Amino acid sequence: MKHAAIECLSAFQHSVSSNHSKHLLVIGTGIAGLYLVGQVYVSYKRAQRRKKWASVEKNMVILHQFERGKNTPSISPFPLKLETYLRMTGIPYESDFEEPMGPKGKSPWITLNGDEVSDSQLCMELLARKFHKDCSAHLSTEEQAIARAFQIMAEEHLYWGLLLWRWIYTKGRTLWQIQPNIPKGFSLMLPLAIKKLKGHAYGQGMGRHAEADVIEMSVKDLRAISNFLGTKPFLMGDKAIEADCAVFGILSQLLWNCPGSPFEQLANGEFSNLKSYCERMKETFWPDWDRCLNPPRLCSYRSLSRVVKKKMAAAALEGKDGSNVVIVHQLKRGKLTPCISPFALKLETYLRIAGIAYQNDFDEPMGPKGKTPWITLNGKKVGDSQLCLELLSETFHKDLSHHLSIEDKAVARAFQIMAEDHLYWVMLVWRWIYNGGSSLPLIQTDLHFAVRYLRPIVVSRVKSQVSAQGMGRHSQSEVMEMGLKDLRAISNFLGTKSFLMGDQPIEVDCAMFGMLAQILWNSPGCPYEPLFTAGELINLKGYCERMKRTFWPDWNQCLIPPLVR
């Protein structure tokens, strides 16, 4: 009996053990299968990204970097350095935020004509050779040596003071203040990241010192840069060079991305010239800085007075006139163009061509005349884009057409009237009547309540307007033919010229660009679309791209959501 019981128990244990092994085998096989599927998916996505990057035009640089920061376009000094260099040299580029870490496990890196290059400095040197860019050519060999010394000091010494402050002394707590969209699980991995970076700093040498010693070393670096810079606009004189990109990349982190640090306090005190230097670099090469942040900083009208007063006070300290601050009130940014209204795009393009400083307000787009855009200038409210242009031209003494003859000015005005008072109605009829407003969700985010839920009422109102104007009384084929004749006339007159009246853009180009941009990018399915892309109106597409590239280098960042390829 006893032996039988033992045999039964042994058989049971063997059965359990066997079943357990089977379960472990099944679980292990499942995990391995999931891992394999995951790796296949990762490889597939990686291949798809490279296929997309390979499809860009020749010599277009793809800059791979981290997502935009809250206070600076990047919370890493090296992507900021490289992107500043690309802007300084005018090399065309697109940003990619999907794969920030390159083949060497570093960020940033670039893709150029299918080649992948890591390390910001190696990227700059390759680009300099490829595009024949040498921003330091005017310097003597001695001056070039000095510039390199300051760059090395910033990137190979001061950088480690920044890293230790951000990751070790503050334990990474400031990251949530400077970077959005941090993964929820990152806080769990933070101790591991800190341990890894602490090991890096220890291996480099800076991490072996006490915190007070490291801060003092960093302050000595800053003092040296401050003393050498003095009152010069840029590191080596009146012209920015490659070293400025590197020094700016580091200093901007200490100034704007180290909240509560002694560096931040010194930048507003003893080293105020370094703060001015950073602001100067920002204004010179990053006019779109606020729109390159995440989220973009869009000045709201309700809080604008405080911002304007602050800017006016700063201007007064520099001996500048703090008046004449232009506030542009317009619709919210679009998905494909900065505005789905041709007149707002016209006005903002004029401000950029004329170099007039302005702030945007998206809270109150409709002005005193029930139109958009409108402006506030020194307390005065002005509606209608053309009246705004004329007031701004008079106030700021800007006449972009002064070089034209009387006859040429008359021709320019005729084309502007044709675009804004005839072609505009064709565009309006297409968007609202023939299309029933159905394309609006494709081109505009955050649609107004009335457009989303009361669209038939809005369409009916637009029908009344175009009928009153006259265009709405014609058949669809007739209206589209009228529009095509306008476009052909503009295309034929433009020919191969850079801008409508020659090599220099004038006021009419703002109006023309505002209108053509809506037809080219904001009229999906329109019969004119193929004529722009590969037909008889292709020079108009080239013209729009030229206007965009020249006066809207920040175009993609001015979209909602910002466009990153």
Side-chain angles (χ1 to χ4, degrees):
M1 187 75 173
K2 180 179 179 180
H3 290 293
I6 292 173
E7 288 177 2
C8 288
L9 181 60
S10 298
F12 176 76
Q13 287 177 337
H14 177 73
S15 175
V16 170
S17 177
S18 177
N19 289 334
H20 182 64
S21 298
K22 290 179 180 178
H23 289 154
L24 288 176
L25 180 62
V26 170
I27 293 172
T29 303
I31 292 174
L34 288 174
Y35 176 79
L36 181 61
V37 170
Q39 289 298 105
V40 170
Y41 178 77
V42 169
S43 298
Y44 169 75
K45 294 297 289 184
R46 189 173 183 273
Q48 288 294 106
R49 286 195 293 269
R50 275 148 183 78
K51 183 178 179 181
K52 179 176 67 174
W53 300 334
S55 68
V56 301
E57 63 188 64
K58 186 179 179 181
N59 291 337
M60 173 66 73
V61 177
I62 307 298
L63 172 59
H64 309 277
Q65 57 175 312
F66 297 113
E67 288 188 9
R68 297 303 195 190
K70 291 182 179 180
N71 305 319
T72 59
S74 178
I75 65 168
S76 168
F78 302 108
L80 193 55
K81 160 194 171 182
L82 182 52
E83 192 166 4
T84 301
Y85 173 77
L86 288 164
R87 289 165 172 253
M88 181 184 292
T89 54
I91 297 173
Y93 74 97
E94 295 177 358
S95 283
D96 161 62
F97 305 100
E98 291 183 277
E99 194 172 329
M101 305 305 288
K104 296 181 180 180
K106 300 176 69 175
S107 184
W109 60 290
I110 64 170
T111 301
L112 177 61
N113 299 330
D115 294 328
E116 298 178 356
V117 184
S118 292
D119 187 275
S120 62
Q121 190 60 32
L122 294 180
C123 291
M124 284 172 59
E125 292 171 6
L126 171 70
L127 294 170
R129 292 193 300 270
K130 174 71 177 178
F131 295 95
H132 309 291
K133 302 289 184 179
D134 185 359
C135 302
S136 305
H138 62 288
L139 299 181
S140 68
T141 53
E142 182 180 4
E143 289 171 329
Q144 290 182 17
I146 292 171
R148 178 172 176 80
F150 274 97
Q151 178 172 341
I152 295 297
M153 183 177 70
E155 294 190 317
E156 303 297 333
H157 192 259
L158 184 55
Y159 163 74
W160 290 96
L162 162 67
L163 181 139
L164 284 165
W165 172 267
R166 179 179 292 176
W167 289 96
I168 312 305
Y169 306 151
T170 62
K171 294 181 169 51
R173 289 189 296 268
T174 61
L175 286 171
W176 280 264
Q177 299 177 50
I178 63 176
Q179 181 69 37
N181 304 325
I182 295 178
K184 292 181 179 179
F186 181 76
S187 57
L188 299 176
M189 298 184 292
L190 187 57
L192 295 176
I194 291 173
K195 183 179 180 180
K196 182 179 179 181
L197 292 171
K198 194 173 184 179
H200 289 174
Y202 186 87
Q204 184 270 344
M206 188 77 83
R208 302 171 187 239
H209 302 293
E211 178 178 341
D213 293 331
V214 171
I215 297 298
E216 180 60 26
M217 292 175 189
S218 301
V219 169
K220 286 180 179 178
D221 289 348
L222 290 169
R223 186 171 290 118
I225 299 171
S226 176
N227 291 340
F228 181 78
L229 177 66
T231 58
K232 298 194 297 292
F234 302 104
L235 195 66
M236 301 304 296
D238 294 331
K239 183 181 178 184
I241 63 171
E242 295 87 350
D244 286 288
C245 302
V247 172
F248 172 62
I250 297 289
L251 293 181
S252 62
Q253 302 301 319
L254 299 174
L255 177 60
W256 293 305
N257 281 338
C258 290
S261 73
F263 312 127
E264 186 182 51
Q265 298 164 18
L266 289 168
N268 290 291
E270 180 184 352
F271 306 141
S272 59
N273 68 329
L274 298 185
K275 180 179 181 180
S276 299
Y277 167 79
C278 288
E279 293 286 358
R280 191 176 304 114
M281 287 289 291
K282 189 172 78 167
E283 291 170 4
T284 305
F285 302 110
W286 290 85
D288 55 325
W289 180 277
D290 284 356
R291 290 182 287 272
C292 289
L293 305 182
N294 190 4
R297 288 181 184 169
L298 307 176
C299 235
S300 81
Y301 188 60
R302 285 187 284 269
S303 63
L304 204 52
S305 58
R306 177 178 59 82
V307 176
V308 170
K309 286 177 182 177
K310 192 173 181 180
K311 286 183 175 286
M312 290 171 67
L317 287 174
E318 296 175 7
K320 298 178 181 178
D321 182 9
S323 60
N324 294 337
V325 178
V326 179
I327 313 301
V328 181
H329 310 275
Q330 58 172 307
L331 299 170
K332 291 181 179 180
R333 295 303 197 192
K335 291 182 178 180
L336 306 176
T337 61
C339 189
I340 64 169
S341 163
F343 303 108
L345 193 56
K346 161 193 171 181
L347 178 56
E348 196 168 354
T349 301
Y350 171 79
L351 287 164
R352 288 167 173 247
I353 291 179
I356 299 172
Y358 69 97
Q359 296 281 351
N360 277 315
D361 160 57
F362 305 99
D363 287 341
E364 194 174 340
M366 306 308 289
K369 298 180 179 180
K371 300 175 70 174
T372 191
W374 60 289
I375 65 170
T376 302
L377 178 60
N378 299 330
K380 183 178 181 180
K381 299 178 180 179
V382 184
D384 187 273
S385 63
Q386 189 59 31
L387 294 180
C388 291
L389 257 73
E390 293 171 5
L391 173 67
L392 293 169
S393 176
E394 180 181 345
T395 302
F396 294 94
H397 309 293
K398 302 287 184 179
D399 183 2
L400 307 180
S401 306
H402 66 89
H403 60 288
L404 298 183
S405 66
I406 296 175
E407 290 80 8
D408 285 340
K409 288 181 179 179
V411 171
R413 178 173 176 81
F415 273 97
Q416 180 170 341
I417 296 298
M418 181 177 70
E420 294 191 319
D421 290 277
H422 192 258
L423 185 57
Y424 163 74
W425 291 98
V426 177
M427 185 274 294
L428 188 76
V429 168
W430 169 264
R431 179 178 291 177
W432 285 99
I433 312 304
Y434 306 151
N435 225 3
S438 60
S439 64
L440 287 170
L442 302 175
I443 63 175
Q444 179 69 41
T445 57
D446 194 18
L447 290 171
H448 189 274
F449 173 86
V451 176
R452 280 186 292 172
Y453 302 110
L454 304 175
R455 191 180 300 170
I457 297 176
V458 178
V459 170
S460 177
R461 183 180 177 185
V462 173
K463 276 185 178 179
S464 299
Q465 290 176 340
V466 296
S467 178
Q469 184 270 343
M471 187 71 75
R473 301 169 189 239
H474 302 291
S475 67
Q476 180 173 340
S477 60
E478 291 171 335
V479 170
M480 300 312 293
E481 181 62 25
M482 291 177 189
L484 182 56
K485 288 180 179 178
D486 287 351
L487 291 169
R488 280 178 177 153
I490 298 168
S491 175
N492 291 338
F493 182 77
L494 175 66
T496 59
K497 297 194 297 290
S498 298
F499 302 102
L500 198 66
M501 301 304 295
D503 295 331
Q504 185 176 335
I506 63 171
E507 294 85 353
V508 67
D509 286 289
C510 304
M512 195 63 68
F513 173 61
M515 200 62 58
L516 294 178
Q518 302 303 318
I519 298 173
L520 175 59
W521 292 305
N522 281 339
S523 299
C526 176
Y528 304 141
E529 201 172 36
L531 299 178
F532 272 84
T533 54
E536 59 180 297
L537 305 178
I538 195 167
N539 67 329
L540 297 185
K541 180 182 179 181
Y543 168 79
C544 288
E545 293 286 358
R546 190 176 306 113
M547 288 288 291
K548 185 175 81 167
R549 186 169 59 249
T550 307
F551 303 109
W552 288 86
D554 56 326
W555 181 279
N556 286 355
Q557 286 81 34
C558 289
L559 308 182
I560 297 294
L563 177 62
V564 291
R565 296 189 179 184

